[in-house]
Amino acid sequence: MPAQTYRGKPCVCQHRLELCDQRCVADMMATTFYMACLKLTGRRCLVVGAGAVGLEKIEGLLACDASVHVIAKEVDAPVQELADAGDIELTVRPYRRGDLEGHFLAIAATSDTDVNVAVFEEAESRAMLCNVVDVPPLCSFILPAIVRSGPIAIAISGSATRMNRETVMIEIAKKRSESLVHSGLGAPTRWWPEKRRPTIRGARGDSNGRSPHRRRPRTSRSRRS
């Protein structure tokens, strides 16, 4: 969500103002982000929230072979399917302080400001990576737009505030990157592993009865925070 849309509306960040005065946007505009790629293979990652937005984040983590734990008091059917297939660990109850114990990072994908702030504050107290979707001031890391093709991944990011001009420039860069990788740069080469993960939901087949699928993140309309 563009940062300017919060102006004059109820505050959704840690400042807990009655109405947003955009002070957090000024902080984000002054922030220089350190760009990095995280190796999440086998690492336990927490997603709080199991709606459509939570599902998108879950799928992104699964695509990177993370061990995903989801906590939510209400669960959309696609997330329940992943749990039933054994692809994620699902805890059906509200988030409680202490739930971040034993996790590498946390993503809050809820529409409840109190829950989002609580997850962020616990993560900060643990010096732990945290992303609250669509609330950049409650993020110690942001998620860029991603273009993937074969072994190539291009990340495109800005200040996380998504001001109008910045959003337009990122979309232009993303389209040009997609054109570049799909024109041949991202085609499979001799060093690209021949064994690939199935991408169809509900596939079955390993010796433990778990679904082997790991869906790759979509390459269009990616959320960034």
Side-chain angles (χ1 to χ4, degrees):
M1 180 182 294
Q4 61 266 35
T5 62
Y6 289 119
R7 183 185 296 276
K9 296 181 179 180
C11 177
V12 295
C13 74
Q14 71 273 33
H15 293 301
R16 297 181 183 272
L17 305 174
E18 182 176 352
L19 297 176
C20 175
D21 65 2
Q22 299 281 275
R23 70 180 63 178
C24 55
V25 173
D27 293 341
M28 297 301 291
M29 290 292 289
T31 299
T32 299
F33 287 94
Y34 182 79
M35 306 303 290
C37 295
L38 301 178
K39 181 179 180 181
L40 298 182
T41 304
R43 292 188 182 274
R44 189 168 166 80
C45 300
L46 176 66
V47 177
V48 179
V53 176
L55 174 64
E56 180 183 344
K57 304 309 176 184
I58 292 165
E59 291 177 336
L61 293 169
L62 289 177
C64 297
D65 289 324
S67 174
V68 181
H69 179 202
V70 179
I71 296 177
K73 59 183 179 180
E74 297 179 356
V75 181
D76 280 8
V79 178
Q80 186 63 57
E81 289 176 15
L82 290 173
D84 293 342
D87 290 318
I88 63 172
E89 176 187 347
L90 178 62
T91 302
V92 183
R93 62 163 172 77
Y95 158 83
R96 297 196 292 252
R97 184 169 182 83
D99 281 342
L100 273 61
E101 178 70 31
H103 295 85
F104 177 70
L105 62 78
I107 297 176
T110 84
S111 58
D112 188 319
T113 296
D114 289 338
V115 171
N116 291 341
V117 172
V119 172
F120 172 75
E121 289 180 343
E122 182 179 350
E124 287 288 283
S125 71
R126 294 175 179 271
M128 180 177 171
L129 293 174
C130 179
N131 176 278
V132 176
V133 180
D134 278 345
V135 189
L138 296 181
C139 296
S140 56
F141 74 99
I142 60 174
L143 300 173
I146 302 291
V147 177
R148 294 182 189 269
S149 181
I152 305 298
I154 299 175
I156 306 161
S157 184
S159 68
T161 58
R162 300 194 198 179
M163 304 304 281
N164 288 336
R165 177 179 173 81
E166 182 181 344
T167 299
V168 170
M169 294 302 294
I170 287 174
E171 286 302 314
I172 291 173
K174 185 169 182 289
K175 290 182 183 300
R176 290 183 177 177
S177 297
E178 288 173 344
S179 176
L180 178 64
V181 298
H182 294 311
S183 68
L185 179 60
T189 62
R190 60 183 175 82
W191 47 271
W192 176 239
E194 293 193 11
K195 182 179 179 181
R196 301 178 189 173
R197 306 183 189 93
T199 58
I200 301 175
R201 183 190 297 277
R204 300 290 189 272
D206 74 0
S207 60
N208 296 318
R210 288 171 51 91
S211 167
H213 88 280
R214 289 291 185 270
R215 304 208 309 174
R216 297 183 184 278
R218 303 176 181 88
T219 58
S220 61
R221 302 180 66 82
S222 298
R223 291 176 178 268
R224 291 174 43 241
S225 65

